[in-house]
Amino acid sequence: MLAPKWLRDKPKNKRSMAKIKSLFEIKGTIDGINIYMLNGQWVARKAGGGFTREAIKRKKTMKRVRQQNSEFASAVDTNMKLRHAVGFLWGNFKFTYLHSRMQGLMQRIKDLDKESAFGERDAFKGLVTEPGLAEVQAFTYSPLAPLETVLPYTVTMGEDASKIVLQLEEGGSFPKMEAATHVSLRLGVAVVDAEGHCFDRFGSAAVTVSLDSLPETLQLTTEKPVGGMGPKLVFVRVWYGKQEGDKLTLLRNKEAVSVGCVGVVK
């Protein structure tokens, strides 16, 4: 769709902003012309505004933009590395907008780095603060099946996070799911290395439990002892499945997988 002729034929050597007296209502960019409401009037001006890659990189007036970009990159990096550290728990299962939702989480956590100047704030430094660790625990990783609404067990963690004990709550049960006969439980631990800007990851083997006969107590233990000096983020995954003979087929419907951070060991 082309812009109206009177917009396309404007003088080439002038930077002007036209005020629209009467035109069919439209908002957005057409043929390089931005059309938008300003102070109660529709206006049209050339798109761009000077925000080129070169201008952002070199102009003094773009310093604030460069600082924001640097901090955004820190949040992106921490987001990606945490998802990779615990993503083995759900494999190729897709959670709704997990990347973008966790990016918002890391943006908030980055702001918790009070030691660094604006433009240098680091999401890893924010993560190891008390509020940062609380943010990770409170975040809903599986919004269609939040872990706190699915897991009928209380969790007790060992001193090094290598082992957790699950105690069935009185009258507790997993929510019913069509075709499901069992659930698969797994432990994952992400150890924060704030100086190295990375996570060390550890995991347990999956434990399968019948929905018809839940054990009073379960224990999940990582396959290797958990090491590292930083805070240890402890995750639990629940995945519904259908048992046929000796084979457990994991279900793929949207509510089949639930993941959450159940605690932190320091």
Side-chain angles (χ1 to χ4, degrees):
M1 180 177 179
L2 292 176
K5 187 175 185 303
W6 61 271
L7 286 178
R8 289 184 281 117
D9 292 343
K10 67 183 189 305
K12 302 290 185 182
N13 60 345
K14 292 184 179 180
R15 296 191 56 159
S16 60
M17 181 167 63
K19 292 184 179 180
I20 301 171
K21 295 297 185 182
S22 63
L23 186 67
F24 54 90
E25 184 173 330
I26 188 168
K27 184 178 182 180
T29 302
I30 302 176
D31 198 24
I33 304 297
N34 282 342
I35 301 175
Y36 57 96
M37 181 71 75
L38 177 65
N39 297 328
Q41 292 184 318
W42 288 101
V43 298
R45 71 186 306 171
K46 184 179 178 181
F51 279 81
T52 64
R53 178 179 298 180
E54 190 66 18
I56 292 173
K57 185 176 179 180
R58 301 190 183 282
K59 279 190 174 182
K60 292 182 179 180
T61 56
M62 295 291 182
K63 179 180 179 180
R64 185 81 173 182
V65 176
R66 290 193 292 272
Q67 291 172 327
Q68 291 171 333
N69 285 351
S70 176
E71 293 193 346
F72 183 81
S74 171
V76 169
D77 180 65
T78 312
N79 175 4
M80 177 190 69
K81 289 176 178 177
L82 179 56
R83 284 186 292 110
H84 286 179
V86 295
F88 71 93
L89 292 173
W90 58 83
N92 62 358
F93 190 90
K94 302 296 183 184
F95 293 119
T96 305
Y97 304 120
L98 180 62
H99 169 77
S100 57
R101 292 188 300 107
M102 285 189 65
Q103 183 62 23
L105 169 69
M106 292 306 168
Q107 287 285 90
R108 297 192 300 273
I109 286 176
K110 169 262 299 175
D111 293 343
L112 297 172
D113 174 13
K114 305 300 184 183
E115 297 179 358
S116 304
F118 183 84
E120 300 176 358
R121 292 179 297 180
D122 184 345
F124 266 99
K125 289 182 179 179
L127 178 58
V128 296
T129 65
E130 290 292 340
L133 296 172
E135 285 267 12
V136 171
Q137 291 181 76
F139 185 76
T140 302
Y141 297 84
S142 50
L144 297 179
L147 187 67
E148 62 270 19
T149 68
V150 173
L151 186 68
Y153 288 86
T154 57
V155 180
T156 303
M157 292 174 287
E159 292 184 359
D160 65 352
S162 296
K163 178 179 72 175
I164 64 171
V165 176
L166 305 177
Q167 185 67 42
L168 186 64
E169 298 170 352
E170 185 175 354
S173 64
F174 287 94
K176 299 296 183 183
M177 182 170 295
E178 185 176 357
T181 62
H182 292 68
V183 290
S184 170
L185 300 168
R186 198 171 182 188
L187 166 67
V189 180
V191 183
V192 186
D193 179 353
E195 291 187 5
H197 287 81
C198 63
F199 296 91
D200 294 322
R201 75 178 188 180
F202 303 85
S204 74
V207 173
T208 302
V209 176
S210 171
L211 292 172
D212 291 332
S213 56
L214 298 182
E216 292 291 326
T217 303
L218 281 168
Q219 182 172 300
L220 299 175
T221 305
T222 56
E223 294 177 315
K224 297 188 298 183
V226 174
M229 301 299 293
K232 300 165 181 65
L233 311 176
V234 181
F235 288 80
V236 170
R237 182 220 67 198
V238 176
W239 198 325
Y240 283 83
K242 182 178 181 180
Q243 185 88 35
E244 295 178 307
D246 294 332
K247 181 181 179 182
L248 177 68
T249 301
L250 298 173
L251 302 182
R252 304 296 301 182
N253 51 303
K254 294 179 180 179
E255 300 84 14
V257 181
S258 180
V259 176
C261 181
V262 297
V264 175
V265 175
K266 299 178 182 178

